[in-house]
Amino acid sequence: MNSVRLVLLAGFLSIGSRALAATAEGKFLADFKKYDITGSLEGSKKPCLCTGGTQDGKVGVMILTKSSSFYFFECFLLSFGQDGTGNGLATCRPNGGTVLPLSK
């Protein structure tokens, strides 16, 4: 009977710690959203400049991306065709550049 209680207690503690982590992660992401940085091209509004590398001098939008259990940011560079539709996407750092966030 004690082992059953121990298993149940461990399960509840596990669920509680996951809920706390989700809350902490949610607060972390909300802090970035205050600066107009989200995890999508549609949601992010923070402009950035790529300096150096093959994409030097190009501007884009800063996106917060999750890899494994860590977050990092990248400047996603969009290109447009003659008719204004999007026709390409590149990133800054994998192409040897440095991301510079732009302010208003």
Side-chain angles (χ1 to χ4, degrees):
M1 187 68 168
N2 283 340
S3 62
V4 171
R5 286 183 191 163
L6 188 58
V7 169
L8 288 174
L9 178 60
F12 286 125
L13 290 176
S14 173
I15 292 168
S17 66
R18 275 189 247 138
L20 181 60
T23 301
E25 184 177 24
K27 183 183 177 328
F28 177 78
L29 294 172
D31 288 341
F32 278 93
K33 192 169 184 176
K34 291 177 191 175
Y35 296 97
D36 291 330
I37 302 170
T38 68
S40 72
L41 286 170
E42 296 81 25
S44 285
K45 295 180 179 84
K46 183 71 173 177
C48 51
L49 172 68
C50 184
T51 59
T54 60
Q55 305 299 327
D56 186 43
K58 295 182 178 157
V59 294
V61 178
M62 190 170 292
I63 303 291
L64 194 62
T65 309
K66 187 173 183 178
S67 175
S68 182
S69 60
F70 295 96
Y71 284 90
F72 65 95
F73 65 89
E74 179 57 82
C75 188
F76 281 81
L77 313 164
L78 299 123
S79 65
F80 300 92
Q82 294 284 345
D83 61 355
T85 59
N87 65 3
L89 182 69
T91 54
C92 183
R93 285 195 267 166
N95 290 303
T98 302
V99 176
L100 177 65
L102 300 175
S103 59
K104 295 179 181 180

